[in-house]
PDB file of all heavy atoms in Angstrom:
ATOM      1  N   GLN A 455     -79.229 -73.567 -53.014  1.00 98.00           N
ATOM      2  CA  GLN A 455     -78.880 -74.978 -53.413  1.00 98.00           C
ATOM      3  C   GLN A 455     -79.049 -75.974 -52.162  1.00 98.00           C
ATOM      4  O   GLN A 455     -78.647 -77.088 -52.410  1.00 98.00           O
ATOM      5  CB  GLN A 455     -77.440 -74.960 -53.840  1.00 98.00           C
ATOM      6  CG  GLN A 455     -77.184 -74.037 -54.978  1.00 98.00           C
ATOM      7  CD  GLN A 455     -75.755 -73.842 -55.288  1.00 98.00           C
ATOM      8  OE1 GLN A 455     -75.031 -74.765 -55.733  1.00 98.00           O
ATOM      9  NE2 GLN A 455     -75.161 -72.720 -55.095  1.00 98.00           N
ATOM     10  N   SER A 456     -79.498 -75.513 -51.147  1.00 98.00           N
ATOM     11  CA  SER A 456     -79.630 -76.307 -49.901  1.00 98.00           C
ATOM     12  C   SER A 456     -80.266 -77.693 -50.362  1.00 98.00           C
ATOM     13  O   SER A 456     -81.314 -77.688 -50.909  1.00 98.00           O
ATOM     14  CB  SER A 456     -80.459 -75.762 -48.899  1.00 98.00           C
ATOM     15  OG  SER A 456     -79.739 -74.927 -48.047  1.00 98.00           O
ATOM     16  N   TRP A 457     -79.559 -78.789 -49.950  1.00 98.00           N
ATOM     17  CA  TRP A 457     -80.111 -80.143 -50.199  1.00 98.00           C
ATOM     18  C   TRP A 457     -80.988 -80.501 -49.017  1.00 98.00           C
ATOM     19  O   TRP A 457     -80.400 -81.102 -48.065  1.00 98.00           O
ATOM     20  CB  TRP A 457     -78.910 -81.099 -50.401  1.00 98.00           C
ATOM     21  CG  TRP A 457     -79.370 -82.403 -51.072  1.00 98.00           C
ATOM     22  CD1 TRP A 457     -79.337 -82.728 -52.414  1.00 98.00           C
ATOM     23  CD2 TRP A 457     -79.734 -83.548 -50.386  1.00 98.00           C
ATOM     24  NE1 TRP A 457     -79.768 -84.092 -52.511  1.00 98.00           N
ATOM     25  CE2 TRP A 457     -79.910 -84.596 -51.379  1.00 98.00           C
ATOM     26  CE3 TRP A 457     -79.911 -83.890 -48.983  1.00 98.00           C
ATOM     27  CZ2 TRP A 457     -80.362 -85.872 -51.045  1.00 98.00           C
ATOM     28  CZ3 TRP A 457     -80.398 -85.187 -48.616  1.00 98.00           C
ATOM     29  CH2 TRP A 457     -80.507 -86.167 -49.668  1.00 98.00           C
ATOM     30  N   LEU A 458     -82.188 -80.152 -49.001  1.00 98.00           N
ATOM     31  CA  LEU A 458     -82.993 -80.357 -47.824  1.00 98.00           C
ATOM     32  C   LEU A 458     -83.606 -81.788 -47.954  1.00 98.00           C
ATOM     33  O   LEU A 458     -84.376 -82.077 -48.839  1.00 98.00           O
ATOM     34  CB  LEU A 458     -84.120 -79.394 -47.822  1.00 98.00           C
ATOM     35  CG  LEU A 458     -83.648 -77.832 -47.654  1.00 98.00           C
ATOM     36  CD1 LEU A 458     -84.817 -76.835 -47.801  1.00 98.00           C
ATOM     37  CD2 LEU A 458     -82.873 -77.686 -46.340  1.00 98.00           C
ATOM     38  N   PRO A 459     -83.313 -82.579 -46.963  1.00 98.00           N
ATOM     39  CA  PRO A 459     -83.694 -84.003 -47.035  1.00 98.00           C
ATOM     40  C   PRO A 459     -85.239 -84.254 -47.336  1.00 98.00           C
ATOM     41  O   PRO A 459     -85.595 -85.053 -48.049  1.00 98.00           O
ATOM     42  CB  PRO A 459     -83.162 -84.648 -45.630  1.00 98.00           C
ATOM     43  CG  PRO A 459     -82.023 -83.736 -45.297  1.00 98.00           C
ATOM     44  CD  PRO A 459     -82.397 -82.380 -45.833  1.00 98.00           C
ATOM     45  N   VAL A 460     -86.098 -83.452 -46.618  1.00 98.00           N
ATOM     46  CA  VAL A 460     -87.424 -83.643 -46.748  1.00 98.00           C
ATOM     47  C   VAL A 460     -87.853 -83.288 -48.114  1.00 98.00           C
ATOM     48  O   VAL A 460     -88.656 -84.063 -48.809  1.00 98.00           O
ATOM     49  CB  VAL A 460     -88.229 -82.809 -45.782  1.00 98.00           C
ATOM     50  CG1 VAL A 460     -89.719 -82.694 -46.120  1.00 98.00           C
ATOM     51  CG2 VAL A 460     -88.010 -83.303 -44.306  1.00 98.00           C
ATOM     52  N   HIS A 461     -87.390 -82.219 -48.702  1.00 98.00           N
ATOM     53  CA  HIS A 461     -87.752 -81.862 -50.069  1.00 98.00           C
ATOM     54  C   HIS A 461     -87.202 -82.851 -51.040  1.00 98.00           C
ATOM     55  O   HIS A 461     -87.801 -83.214 -52.049  1.00 98.00           O
ATOM     56  CB  HIS A 461     -87.217 -80.470 -50.416  1.00 98.00           C
ATOM     57  CG  HIS A 461     -87.807 -79.414 -49.593  1.00 98.00           C
ATOM     58  ND1 HIS A 461     -87.463 -78.091 -49.720  1.00 98.00           N
ATOM     59  CD2 HIS A 461     -88.906 -79.492 -48.797  1.00 98.00           C
ATOM     60  CE1 HIS A 461     -88.385 -77.393 -48.969  1.00 98.00           C
ATOM     61  NE2 HIS A 461     -89.210 -78.171 -48.233  1.00 98.00           N
ATOM     62  N   GLN A 462     -85.992 -83.450 -50.799  1.00 98.00           N
ATOM     63  CA  GLN A 462     -85.358 -84.459 -51.750  1.00 98.00           C
ATOM     64  C   GLN A 462     -86.353 -85.732 -51.725  1.00 98.00           C
ATOM     65  O   GLN A 462     -86.525 -86.288 -52.717  1.00 98.00           O
ATOM     66  CB  GLN A 462     -84.025 -84.726 -51.313  1.00 98.00           C
ATOM     67  CG  GLN A 462     -83.010 -83.628 -51.456  1.00 98.00           C
ATOM     68  CD  GLN A 462     -83.041 -83.265 -53.097  1.00 98.00           C
ATOM     69  OE1 GLN A 462     -82.885 -83.983 -53.921  1.00 98.00           O
ATOM     70  NE2 GLN A 462     -83.127 -81.873 -53.303  1.00 98.00           N
ATOM     71  N   ILE A 463     -86.675 -86.146 -50.513  1.00 98.00           N
ATOM     72  CA  ILE A 463     -87.642 -87.192 -50.477  1.00 98.00           C
ATOM     73  C   ILE A 463     -88.897 -86.943 -51.291  1.00 98.00           C
ATOM     74  O   ILE A 463     -89.412 -87.779 -52.092  1.00 98.00           O
ATOM     75  CB  ILE A 463     -88.044 -87.586 -48.977  1.00 98.00           C
ATOM     76  CG1 ILE A 463     -86.807 -88.066 -48.299  1.00 98.00           C
ATOM     77  CG2 ILE A 463     -89.219 -88.591 -48.909  1.00 98.00           C
ATOM     78  CD1 ILE A 463     -86.983 -88.238 -46.671  1.00 98.00           C
ATOM     79  N   LEU A 464     -89.419 -85.771 -51.118  1.00 97.00           N
ATOM     80  CA  LEU A 464     -90.759 -85.419 -51.779  1.00 97.00           C
ATOM     81  C   LEU A 464     -90.543 -85.232 -53.272  1.00 97.00           C
ATOM     82  O   LEU A 464     -91.571 -85.238 -53.954  1.00 97.00           O
ATOM     83  CB  LEU A 464     -91.402 -84.236 -51.128  1.00 97.00           C
ATOM     84  CG  LEU A 464     -91.834 -84.401 -49.635  1.00 97.00           C
ATOM     85  CD1 LEU A 464     -92.376 -83.123 -49.092  1.00 97.00           C
ATOM     86  CD2 LEU A 464     -92.791 -85.544 -49.433  1.00 97.00           C
ATOM     87  N   GLN A 465     -89.340 -84.973 -53.707  1.00 97.00           N
ATOM     88  CA  GLN A 465     -89.122 -84.909 -55.174  1.00 97.00           C
ATOM     89  C   GLN A 465     -88.844 -86.298 -55.767  1.00 97.00           C
ATOM     90  O   GLN A 465     -88.712 -86.450 -56.895  1.00 97.00           O
ATOM     91  CB  GLN A 465     -87.862 -84.030 -55.365  1.00 97.00           C
ATOM     92  CG  GLN A 465     -88.064 -82.553 -55.214  1.00 97.00           C
ATOM     93  CD  GLN A 465     -86.925 -81.691 -55.468  1.00 97.00           C
ATOM     94  OE1 GLN A 465     -85.982 -82.061 -56.187  1.00 97.00           O
ATOM     95  NE2 GLN A 465     -86.763 -80.635 -54.761  1.00 97.00           N
ATOM     96  N   GLY A 466     -88.794 -87.330 -54.870  1.00 96.00           N
ATOM     97  CA  GLY A 466     -88.613 -88.617 -55.342  1.00 96.00           C
ATOM     98  C   GLY A 466     -87.150 -89.034 -55.578  1.00 96.00           C
ATOM     99  O   GLY A 466     -86.768 -89.986 -56.216  1.00 96.00           O
ATOM    100  N   ASN A 467     -86.198 -88.219 -55.011  1.00 97.00           N
ATOM    101  CA  ASN A 467     -84.795 -88.507 -55.230  1.00 97.00           C
ATOM    102  C   ASN A 467     -84.171 -89.468 -54.256  1.00 97.00           C
ATOM    103  O   ASN A 467     -82.972 -89.688 -54.351  1.00 97.00           O
ATOM    104  CB  ASN A 467     -84.003 -87.054 -55.146  1.00 97.00           C
ATOM    105  CG  ASN A 467     -84.462 -86.181 -56.313  1.00 97.00           C
ATOM    106  OD1 ASN A 467     -84.977 -86.719 -57.355  1.00 97.00           O
ATOM    107  ND2 ASN A 467     -84.286 -84.838 -56.136  1.00 97.00           N
TER     108      ASN A 467
END
Side-chain angles (χ1 to χ4, degrees):
Chain A
Q455 304 174 66
S456 273
W457 193 94
L458 299 174
V460 167
H461 293 177
Q462 290 299 314
I463 292 171
L464 298 178
Q465 287 178 29
N467 297 335

